[in-house]
Amino acid sequence: MSTPSEFTQSAPPTALKWAAQVIDTYRIFGHDDTRVIALDGVTVGFEAGKFTAIMGPSGSGKTTLMQVAAGLDRPDQGQVIIGDVEISTLSEKRLTLLRREQVGFIFQQFNLLPTLTAKENITFPLDLSGSKPDPEWMQRVIDTVGLSDRLGHRPSELSGGQQQRVAVARALVERPDIIFADEPTGNLDSRSSAEILGFMAQAVAEFGQTVVMVTHDPGAATYADRVVFLADGQIVDDIVNPTRDQVLSHMGTLQG
Amino acid sequence: MLRLTLKNLRANLGRLLATAIAVATGTAFLAAGLMITQSLSASVEGDAAIQYAGVDVAVLAPADPGEHRSGSLNAAVLEEVRSTEGVNSATGEFVAETTIADSNGTAVRSRSQGRAWIEDHTLNPITIDEGSPPTAAGEIVVDTETAQDGTLTVGDTVVINTPSGEMDAEIVGISSFGAAPSVDSGGTVFMSAGWAQEVLTGGHPGWQQILISSDTPDAVIAALDTSLPGSPEVLDSEDFLTRQTETTEEFLSILSPILTGFALLALFVSGFVIYNTFTVVVSQRSQELSLVRAIGGTPSQVRRSLLLEGSLLGLLASFAGLAAGMGIARLIEYVLDRFDVRLPGVGISINPRVILLTLFAGTLITLVSVMLPAWRAGSSRPVEAMRQAAVDDSGTSSLRMYVGGFFLISGIVLLSLNAFSASQWYFLGPGALLLFLGVVVGGPLLARLYGRLAGVLLRPSMTGRIAADNMVRNPKRTATTANALVIGLFLVTLVTVAGTALKDWIEMEIADLSESDFIVVSETAIPQGLVDEIAGADGVDATAPIRSAAITTTSGDSVLISGSDVEALQNTAGFSASTGSLDQVISGEGAADSGVGAFAGPGAGRDAEGPGPFDPEARQSDPGGTQSTSADETLSLIDPDGNTVEVPIVAQFELSLDTIFLATVVNDDLFTRLAGERPVVQVYVRSAPGEVENLGATLDSLTSGFTGVVVVPGNFVGQVVGQAIDFLIAAINGLLGLSVLIALIGIINTMNLSIHERRRELGMVRALGMTSSQVRSMVRIEGILIGLLGTIVGVTSGALVGWSVVKGITGDAVSLAWGRMGLIFAAGLVISLLACLLPARRAVKVPMLEAMAAS
């Protein structure tokens, strides 16, 4: 096991250095015999303007970490800070609004509303809050993901890769403080996967977007600026600018 | 598989409860209907059987066309019967309305009957609980219930109102009839045979029927058939009992199909809901069913399991319905009692036939409704459950569009044809049927178009927009859900629109028929003092008092004669001649020892055409054996001194609502000559302009002290008919409301299914920032859109058919009941809103992460 990096040990937030932080957080499911400790005192920060990957074997708690950090789930103990807001005291409604305005999501599947067209799906979060997308920014995002000619189509008329591109565009168009992606390439072939990962890396590099991605694909993790490894609900490793071999060897250590 | 079925039932208990309620509601009404009709007919037959248990042979006086049995079996006939060989005993029976006045002068019970006491114990089913039987004039026995209502005890002296007027009577006994108080549901006043002949018959002694006890009934029948004068009917005990229960049977033959009809309707609507619920259950369990299929369950095993589940559920729910049905039956009994209609006999009872029929019908309808979902579940491929819920375009094929559109349009065309071609009734049924088929077949398409339109209209709101989209994701299911509501609201609107328009029309037609403002009526007599007071009351323009008597003719028959100031009658009641002239009637002049009369208008002469709809005698309590007269006849009447008076009939008067109470009319002088001094029985009153309401109050207070004197508004019939129709509309709609409630359950089920199917989507939109209240309003809008669809289609088609019916009957421009239709519309919307409360809560409760994680 390597020693935790400076990111996980770092001190409280300075403005905008951290897009989201999880501090000494526990998340426990079930009772007694069925009790599972998904997060066992995790402390981690996600740096603004960076692409962070969370990796770990099945059941390591990586999805739970993402959900807690994104405000989709509440920890049993510990602090979660999105931007500069500590969310544990927020009402469900305030939390929903915060997610709507500051957090973007890309899921593995069920990303899109089947009754809406691609364009409507992209603007869906903005429509929910009744705001209008910035047309210039919108165009730029659509051009980036290469969807200009599919905007009027419904999800059922798009390929899996195209559907995920719509999801990426939706996450980008609202310019959230942070985008969480849960296995965004889990259902895609390798070519589409590379495209989607490329768009996300491009968004980080060109637009300064913050992206946190949960993945079990070492190839996908190499697109990230940093990889956080999780096992049994704890952060066990943290590497910056990972290569494929580094990731593979770390994963090998965890699973072996 | 049976174990799986049972476990499923238990696991899905909550979900199936909705179905069970739908089944139970439908069967409850079936059970209630069956119970009431069964026990009614059983108890009426039973009562008659007990009342006439000792009767072996009966002689019935000939009935007039109004089914009134006159008391034409006189003492001589009774004597002859008694002396016939084989007759053990014989007694005459006579029944006429007789009320007991309480201290305020109003009747203790308004519909009590006077009866002659039967001395013979074999023939008399009545027991004296207290006191003794009536033996002399002035003595009466009352039943226990009447005694209780009027707090009467043996020894009390009361005023009774008989066909011969008011008189004093002493209560000498209290009687009962088996477990019941009396044979008459309104109570009975018994008198000695002699006194009854005097006061009940209105001065024309005789019996309505003669009851005979005999050991050799056949011989007695044979003997009486030939020997009795005037050819009365002689019946054996079986035929006699059948005759006694005929009227009840007739009543039941109307009531029973109505109640059964409502029950079938409720079951029919339940069918839609059960079908939808099971579709819900099947798709919610599609994964589990796929698993069963994948590990080797055959399609027929899956189907059998579901069918078994349906049958068990149907059976259980039918038991619940049976229990609820008893409650409803008791409720109906109670409501009838409030309206002073007491069910005869012991009331509601349950017999095995009702139980079996209810359980069978409830189970069968459930089974039939489950068949299609079960078949579908069996044919699903094992992998199907893994598919993502997608937009379902089924049910919107162009064939459906053409067929549905064709049905709809031809339905509307036929209904319009019916409306514009009066009395072409054969267009109505097919038109309504085609309209219904069009709605069912074209429903999914209609739902889709409607959803598109709603989507466009709601575009500015993202939640509304998505709700509209969601509504048409499964157009078939949306249409089935809406149709359950359509059926109920269609019928409610139809009844309301047609009923209201008919009521207005009838009231209008009836108002045209009445000239007088009030008629003061008594069954027996209006004291002369009161007649004078009425004539002198403030606001009175004119009055016409009427006297009435049955006069014997030279041929031994009797004729009912009304005597009045004919000119006054013209002024108050719009009395006018349709043929001939009234001048002679007014003057009364003719040859010596003669007078002139007018007889009732078209259709009244039974000799000519049989009884018409306004046959006066059919509506009159008819104390003597009277005959009506006909045009150009000359009546030879016997005056009190025994002289013959010739009365030629010179005119025929126009029948109106006022004059249907009149018999053959002569002027006052002639009447006095024929009948002597008689009390006034009716006074026609015409008010001065603008005084109608005040005068009504004045008349009410003037007559309040007099027993049996009633003030009837001139448009009384119109008012009564109007009220009756209003009551009918309300009652029918109350029953139909049931089907609307069942439809509510359907909407709840469908919405719950939609939410279940879209759990993952709901999780996602929540993650993306849709607030709970936005989710709630999304679900609510979807439910309301479905409800609105059902309401629009239901109310529109109901109004269309209602319009067609009314226009077909009246041929007039129909005033649609817009206000009431608006109310129905609002009710439909409120119901849909209510139906969404639960699903909306459920949608918000869907756990975000769980919903997304499920795969």
Side-chain angles (χ1 to χ4, degrees):
Chain A
M1 263 205 228
S2 350
T3 34
S5 78
E6 52 163 328
F7 293 100
T8 53
Q9 291 170 337
S10 61
T14 54
L16 295 183
K17 179 174 184 188
W18 309 110
Q21 296 174 89
V22 174
I23 301 163
D24 197 22
T25 292
Y26 292 82
R27 183 76 179 97
I28 298 156
F29 297 106
H31 301 280
D32 306 325
D33 286 355
T34 59
R35 184 178 157 102
V36 173
I37 303 175
L39 295 181
D40 191 2
V42 172
T43 299
V44 65
F46 301 112
E47 202 177 1
K50 297 284 184 189
F51 190 166
T52 308
I54 303 173
M55 288 201 74
S58 292
S60 61
K62 55 186 189 297
T63 296
T64 308
L65 175 60
M66 184 215 90
Q67 289 170 344
V68 167
L72 288 174
D73 196 7
R74 289 177 189 266
D76 294 303
Q77 195 186 315
Q79 276 188 304
V80 176
I81 298 162
I82 297 176
D84 52 0
V85 181
E86 212 286 298
I87 65 166
S88 59
T89 55
L90 292 184
S91 69
E92 193 53 46
K93 169 146 192 178
R94 285 289 318 280
L95 185 59
T96 303
L97 296 179
L98 179 129
R99 270 204 313 269
R100 187 152 90 189
E101 282 149 21
Q102 295 178 8
V103 185
F105 289 98
I106 303 165
F107 301 110
Q108 181 177 359
Q109 52 182 350
F110 301 114
N111 243 321
L112 308 177
L113 283 169
T115 59
L116 300 184
T117 63
K119 188 177 180 194
E120 288 165 340
N121 263 293
I122 293 172
T123 57
F124 175 72
L126 293 168
D127 287 331
L128 279 181
S129 50
S131 46
K132 287 260 171 286
D134 170 1
E136 227 173 276
W137 174 244
M138 173 102 174
Q139 195 51 53
R140 196 167 161 196
V141 168
I142 289 167
D143 288 344
T144 306
V145 297
L147 275 173
S148 326
D149 54 338
R150 319 291 296 173
L151 288 178
H153 292 67
R154 294 187 184 230
S156 56
E157 298 158 335
L158 299 173
S159 72
Q162 286 168 332
Q163 288 185 24
Q164 284 309 69
R165 280 196 260 168
V166 174
V168 172
R170 179 187 64 205
L172 289 174
V173 86
E174 52 181 334
R175 286 203 254 213
D177 295 342
I178 185 165
I179 293 174
F180 288 97
D182 186 6
E183 303 274 13
T185 58
N187 274 5
L188 300 182
D189 60 67
S190 54
R191 209 178 124 244
S192 304
S193 294
E195 271 176 19
I196 294 297
L197 292 163
F199 292 139
M200 294 203 294
Q202 197 183 347
V204 175
E206 288 180 19
F207 313 145
Q209 182 66 55
T210 310
V211 176
V212 176
M213 171 176 74
V214 170
T215 183
H216 63 269
D217 175 10
T222 58
Y223 284 80
D225 299 318
R226 169 193 170 207
V227 182
V228 176
F229 290 91
L230 223 64
D232 296 328
Q234 292 179 319
I235 305 271
V236 292
D237 221 339
D238 197 336
I239 53 177
V240 181
N241 295 325
T243 66
R244 191 181 164 82
D245 289 343
Q246 270 178 306
V247 174
L248 276 174
S249 74
H250 278 277
M251 285 298 283
T253 319
L254 291 177
Q255 277 161 348
Chain B
M1 262 345 236
L2 177 65
R3 240 192 28 215
L4 181 67
T5 303
L6 291 174
K7 292 209 157 164
N8 278 340
L9 266 178
R10 228 175 44 210
N12 293 296
L13 209 56
R15 208 174 289 148
L16 291 173
L17 206 62
T19 320
I21 292 171
V23 180
T25 326
T27 48
F29 258 74
L30 185 66
L34 288 172
M35 277 178 218
I36 289 182
T37 46
Q38 292 248 322
S39 52
L40 259 186
S41 65
S43 70
V44 166
E45 278 162 21
D47 276 4
I50 298 167
Q51 186 182 352
Y52 296 115
V55 177
D56 300 309
V57 180
V59 181
L60 274 59
D64 69 24
E67 287 302 316
H68 250 280
R69 276 185 201 284
S70 59
S72 59
L73 302 170
N74 57 30
V77 177
L78 182 57
E79 260 332 295
E80 184 160 351
V81 170
R82 281 187 174 142
S83 61
T84 304
E85 197 176 320
V87 172
N88 296 344
S89 64
T91 184
E93 202 177 37
F94 198 98
V95 187
E97 201 160 297
T98 300
T99 56
I100 297 178
D102 64 12
S103 51
N104 298 326
T106 53
V108 171
R109 292 178 75 183
S110 56
R111 286 166 52 239
S112 54
Q113 302 290 331
R115 280 176 182 269
W117 179 257
I118 299 172
E119 298 285 346
D120 189 281
H121 290 296
T122 350
L123 294 171
N124 191 351
I126 307 293
T127 49
I128 299 284
D129 296 346
E130 207 184 310
S132 57
T135 49
E139 291 181 355
I140 57 168
V141 165
V142 297
D143 65 279
T144 49
E145 195 167 359
T146 306
Q148 210 173 354
D149 285 359
T151 53
L152 305 171
T153 50
V154 173
D156 285 358
T157 298
V158 291
V159 175
I160 60 172
N161 200 337
T162 71
S164 302
E166 286 186 12
M167 55 200 72
D168 287 342
E170 188 196 348
I171 297 174
V172 296
I174 311 280
S175 68
S176 63
F177 169 57
S182 170
V183 289
D184 302 299
S185 60
T188 314
V189 176
F190 289 102
M191 309 163 177
S192 69
W195 200 39
Q197 282 289 291
E198 206 177 299
V199 298
L200 292 184
T201 57
H204 292 80
W207 300 101
Q208 289 160 330
Q209 48 196 25
I210 294 174
L211 311 177
I212 300 163
S213 138
S214 165
D215 298 325
T216 53
D218 291 344
V220 171
I221 292 171
L224 293 180
D225 254 344
T226 49
S227 67
L228 292 181
S231 58
E233 284 184 273
V234 182
L235 301 174
D236 65 15
S237 57
E238 199 176 310
D239 287 348
F240 178 61
L241 276 184
T242 315
R243 194 68 67 85
Q244 294 300 319
T245 52
E246 252 171 16
T247 350
T248 324
E249 298 284 331
E250 240 168 72
F251 171 66
L252 285 176
S253 72
I254 298 167
L255 184 72
S256 167
I258 291 175
L259 282 174
T260 315
F262 281 120
L264 289 179
L265 175 74
L267 279 177
F268 183 62
V269 176
S270 306
F272 273 79
V273 175
I274 297 163
Y275 164 75
N276 247 6
T277 314
F278 263 89
T279 313
V280 170
V281 169
V282 166
S283 36
Q284 281 180 339
R285 290 218 307 261
S286 58
Q287 281 187 330
E288 172 200 311
L289 291 172
S290 300
L291 185 65
V292 173
R293 294 271 292 109
I295 60 178
T298 63
S300 65
Q301 275 177 318
V302 169
R303 279 169 206 155
R304 270 209 305 273
S305 164
L306 279 169
L307 285 178
L308 189 63
E309 194 174 324
S311 328
L312 284 176
L313 180 82
L315 192 63
L316 287 176
S318 302
F319 268 111
L322 194 63
M326 282 198 272
I328 294 174
R330 296 235 180 271
L331 188 74
I332 292 178
E333 193 183 24
Y334 173 76
V335 170
L336 284 178
D337 193 43
R338 300 250 83 182
F339 284 93
D340 215 17
V341 181
R342 274 174 220 185
L343 294 183
V346 286
I348 307 302
S349 65
I350 316 151
N351 66 24
R353 212 191 110 198
V354 173
I355 297 176
L356 286 179
L357 211 59
T358 307
L359 294 182
F360 177 73
T363 311
L364 187 72
I365 196 95
T366 315
L367 202 57
V368 169
S369 312
V370 170
M371 264 172 190
L372 201 59
W375 185 82
R376 231 186 265 139
S379 353
S380 71
R381 263 163 283 143
V383 289
E384 209 154 355
M386 302 302 163
R387 254 183 7 185
Q388 184 180 347
V391 182
D392 178 6
D393 279 334
S394 71
T396 54
S397 69
S398 54
L399 177 68
R400 191 178 271 274
M401 181 174 83
Y402 291 128
V403 174
F406 172 75
F407 281 161
L408 267 181
I409 291 168
S410 30
I412 293 170
V413 167
L414 285 187
L415 287 172
S416 309
L417 278 177
N418 174 64
F420 290 109
S421 61
S423 76
Q424 301 291 304
W425 287 108
Y426 39 82
F427 287 134
L428 182 65
L433 185 70
L434 281 171
L435 190 70
F436 177 74
L437 284 177
V439 167
V440 170
V441 174
L445 196 78
L446 214 59
R448 202 166 156 74
L449 292 175
Y450 165 83
R452 288 255 175 82
L453 181 71
V456 171
L457 292 178
L458 293 168
R459 186 165 270 279
S461 141
M462 180 42 77
T463 15
R465 164 74 204 286
I466 296 177
D469 284 345
N470 283 343
M471 193 201 98
V472 288
R473 275 213 223 172
N474 192 333
K476 260 190 196 164
R477 192 166 69 209
T478 303
T480 314
T481 311
N483 280 347
L485 193 59
V486 166
I487 296 167
L489 290 180
F490 164 76
L491 291 172
V492 171
T493 312
L494 171 60
V495 168
T496 308
V497 167
T500 313
L502 280 181
K503 187 190 95 174
D504 291 349
W505 180 71
I506 289 173
E507 280 182 341
M508 199 177 71
E509 295 280 306
I510 287 176
D512 287 350
L513 291 174
S514 181
E515 290 270 334
S516 67
D517 294 308
F518 297 97
I519 310 171
V520 181
V521 192
S522 167
E523 281 283 327
T524 50
I526 304 171
Q528 190 56 45
L530 179 59
V531 174
D532 294 340
E533 272 188 76
I534 292 170
D538 282 345
V540 168
D541 186 44
T543 61
I546 309 288
R547 294 175 169 80
S548 181
I551 310 290
T552 311
T553 65
T554 47
S555 56
D557 297 325
S558 66
V559 176
L560 206 61
I561 304 287
S562 300
S564 178
D565 178 339
V566 178
E567 267 176 314
L569 202 55
Q570 284 175 307
N571 290 335
T572 54
F575 187 75
S576 63
S578 57
T579 59
S581 160
L582 291 174
D583 293 345
Q584 259 186 296
V585 186
I586 294 168
S587 65
E589 278 169 20
D593 286 341
S594 73
V596 178
F599 91 110
R606 88 162 78 107
D607 296 338
E609 295 169 341
F614 291 107
D615 186 349
E617 261 135 328
R619 298 173 176 247
Q620 195 143 5
S621 117
D622 183 0
T626 55
Q627 283 191 334
S628 37
T629 52
S630 55
D632 304 326
E633 193 184 350
T634 296
L635 300 172
S636 303
L637 302 173
I638 300 172
D639 70 14
D641 302 329
N643 301 321
T644 301
V645 181
E646 299 285 331
V647 180
I649 305 300
V650 296
Q652 183 177 349
F653 62 82
E654 200 82 59
L655 266 181
S656 73
L657 271 183
D658 299 326
T659 58
I660 59 169
F661 297 113
L662 298 172
T664 301
V665 177
V666 299
N667 73 11
D668 274 331
D669 291 342
L670 178 56
F671 183 83
T672 313
R673 231 166 87 199
L674 290 169
E677 289 299 330
R678 292 281 182 141
V680 171
V681 287
Q682 287 158 39
V683 181
Y684 290 91
V685 181
R686 182 161 205 148
S687 87
E691 291 289 329
V692 178
E693 277 181 29
N694 291 339
L695 183 56
T698 310
L699 290 178
D700 278 337
S701 69
L702 279 178
T703 56
S704 66
F706 297 88
T707 318
V709 178
V710 183
V711 179
V712 179
N715 57 352
F716 173 70
V717 179
Q719 283 183 2
V720 168
V721 171
Q723 281 166 1
I725 294 180
D726 267 341
F727 176 75
L728 262 182
I729 295 174
I732 293 176
N733 280 349
L735 293 172
L736 290 174
L738 192 79
S739 66
V740 177
L741 282 184
I742 298 176
L744 176 101
I745 298 172
I747 297 181
I748 295 178
N749 276 346
T750 302
M751 291 306 300
N752 276 341
L753 172 61
S754 305
I755 288 159
H756 181 87
E757 281 178 350
R758 297 176 207 142
R759 283 166 74 80
R760 282 174 273 204
E761 256 173 70
L762 281 168
M764 181 193 57
V765 295
R766 296 275 285 125
L768 289 177
M770 191 178 253
T771 60
S772 323
S773 58
Q774 279 175 318
V775 170
R776 258 197 296 272
S777 74
M778 182 174 80
V779 173
R780 257 188 239 126
I781 292 171
E782 185 179 346
I784 291 170
L785 283 175
I786 296 178
L788 191 64
L789 174 66
T791 309
I792 291 175
V793 175
V795 172
T796 313
S797 49
L800 184 67
V801 177
W803 165 78
S804 175
V805 169
V806 177
K807 185 116 171 70
I809 292 177
T810 65
D812 287 334
V814 179
S815 58
L816 288 175
W818 291 111
R820 291 189 185 194
M821 264 158 68
L823 276 180
I824 298 171
F825 202 85
L829 285 186
V830 169
I831 280 169
S832 349
L833 196 64
L834 284 177
C836 294
L837 289 180
L838 236 60
R841 271 183 54 186
R842 210 181 158 124
V844 172
K845 276 193 185 154
V846 167
M848 207 181 341
L849 298 170
E850 201 182 299
M852 282 192 302
S855 55

